[in-house]
Amino acid sequence: MSNAQYNNSEVSAQKVAYNILRLPMSVSTSAATYIPTSPPEERRWVLKPARELKRINDPTSTECFEHNILDYYVERPISMRDVTLASFAASYNYSKTIPRGNTHSNDNDEFELETGEVHNTDGQDDNADVQDDNVDAQDGGSNAVIRNYIELQNSDGYICKRKTLKVIRFRRYRLQQGPQNYYRELLMLYFPWFDEEFDLLLVDCDIVFRAHQEQILVNRCEFTSFDDAALMETLQNAKDRHNEPDIEDDPQHALENPLDEYELDEGM
């Protein structure tokens, strides 16, 4: 649908030139990634390419969608069991295979966690946070660390640590909108888990949050400098100030005579 809309839209000559030359339309000093924190029934999925769907011999198989950040997080090594989803998404880049060549690069490479595809803009591999001589390469076995790349479980690809954190974006539920989704999202982002159904969906998130509140808030402080209450109060104050009528636009003020504040001198 997006391609159909794009191909039937009028664009400027400058944009056409940028597309033909494959030049970036925008440049940002900070990379960002989106974490789908909505309930499973409300999420959007990316269908696998037709050539991969043809390889599925089981007609009852449900493996027809591309893996996303949640799948990669669940497949993280046991040694990373204490890593939260927010930290995993912000600190690591994913690759289906280990890129050939050197393993060093900068943090400006385009990277997409949702589909697991790496779009490299400068011919270098994705970010390596440590030098080769400081990393122990392990041959064979699962969860192997090979040239700064950490293998995920079930041979689901590799992750590599970044030099700088990415900005994380998510649904951001409000407590007033629904306590269950609000606390579920906090647990999902800032508390380690492995099975979404048993750890997040089939539990009372309010009770679990209060049991681990201190740890969750500490992990949350890494990605935000203020809490939701302070943000909502600031937004409400700004909204109230915006809705206050100006003195010139007040109809009651317009009916007042500006000379009423003066008294008439009868002796003149």
Side-chain angles (χ1 to χ4, degrees):
M1 182 181 296
S2 59
N3 288 335
Q5 181 181 2
Y6 181 79
N7 292 331
N8 291 276
S9 301
E10 293 185 1
V11 296
S12 64
Q14 292 83 354
K15 188 173 183 179
V16 173
Y18 269 68
N19 285 335
I20 294 177
L21 298 175
R22 297 185 178 274
L23 298 176
M25 303 294 288
S26 62
V27 178
S28 174
T29 57
S30 299
T33 185
Y34 179 77
I35 304 176
T37 58
S38 300
E41 61 273 11
E42 298 179 8
R43 295 174 192 160
R44 297 181 179 180
W45 306 89
V46 178
L47 194 66
K48 288 183 177 180
R51 63 180 182 276
E52 294 188 18
L53 293 176
K54 293 180 180 179
R55 300 174 186 170
I56 302 177
N57 297 323
D58 185 4
T60 62
S61 175
T62 58
E63 296 294 326
C64 58
F65 298 109
E66 292 278 9
H67 285 185
N68 59 17
I69 177 61
L70 302 183
D71 300 307
Y72 305 142
Y73 176 71
V74 171
E75 298 294 342
R76 71 191 186 278
I78 300 299
S79 59
M80 298 176 62
R81 58 182 176 272
D82 294 330
V83 176
T84 64
L85 175 59
S87 180
F88 182 86
S91 304
Y92 293 89
N93 283 342
Y94 171 85
S95 178
K96 289 184 178 180
T97 59
I98 299 179
R100 291 177 295 181
N102 66 70
T103 59
H104 301 288
S105 68
N106 53 51
D107 281 344
N108 295 326
D109 295 345
E110 293 293 335
F111 181 81
E112 182 58 57
L113 266 171
E114 291 301 317
T115 61
E117 297 179 355
V118 177
H119 306 280
N120 215 325
T121 57
D122 58 2
Q124 294 180 326
D125 303 329
D126 225 335
N127 320 297
D129 195 37
V130 291
Q131 300 295 325
D132 285 340
D133 53 1
N134 292 332
V135 177
D136 296 329
Q138 303 175 2
D139 296 329
S142 61
N143 307 335
V145 179
I146 307 174
R147 291 188 181 182
N148 308 333
Y149 284 85
I150 303 174
E151 184 179 3
L152 299 177
Q153 298 187 62
N154 301 323
S155 301
D156 202 17
Y158 302 86
I159 56 175
C160 182
K161 195 166 186 179
R162 296 172 54 85
K163 296 178 183 178
T164 58
L165 295 179
K166 286 181 284 188
V167 177
I168 59 173
R169 305 183 187 279
F170 47 92
R171 173 65 174 78
R172 194 177 293 274
Y173 287 95
R174 305 300 179 191
L175 182 60
Q176 297 80 0
Q177 295 175 342
Q180 179 64 17
N181 278 329
Y182 175 78
Y183 291 117
R184 180 187 58 79
E185 186 177 58
L186 289 176
L187 291 174
M188 188 177 189
L189 291 172
Y190 307 115
F191 190 73
W193 55 273
F194 271 98
D195 191 307
E196 182 178 10
E197 182 176 2
F198 289 98
D199 296 337
L200 299 175
L201 300 178
L202 298 180
V203 300
D204 190 329
C205 294
D206 189 356
I207 296 177
V208 179
F209 170 79
R210 297 187 187 283
H212 304 279
Q213 180 174 353
E214 183 176 352
Q215 178 184 353
I216 293 173
L217 294 180
V218 170
N219 294 336
R220 186 174 182 268
C221 288
E222 183 180 358
F223 301 96
T224 180
S225 57
F226 48 83
D227 56 17
D228 290 341
L231 175 62
M232 294 305 298
E233 182 180 358
T234 302
L235 293 176
Q236 186 61 41
N237 293 337
K239 183 178 179 180
D240 294 341
R241 289 195 300 268
H242 178 73
N243 293 335
E244 290 179 357
D246 296 335
I247 297 179
E248 293 79 2
D249 299 335
D250 188 354
Q252 183 63 32
H253 178 76
L255 295 176
E256 296 178 357
N257 190 340
L259 299 180
D260 290 345
E261 59 180 295
Y262 301 99
E263 295 183 358
L264 181 60
D265 189 356
E266 298 290 345
M268 292 182 62

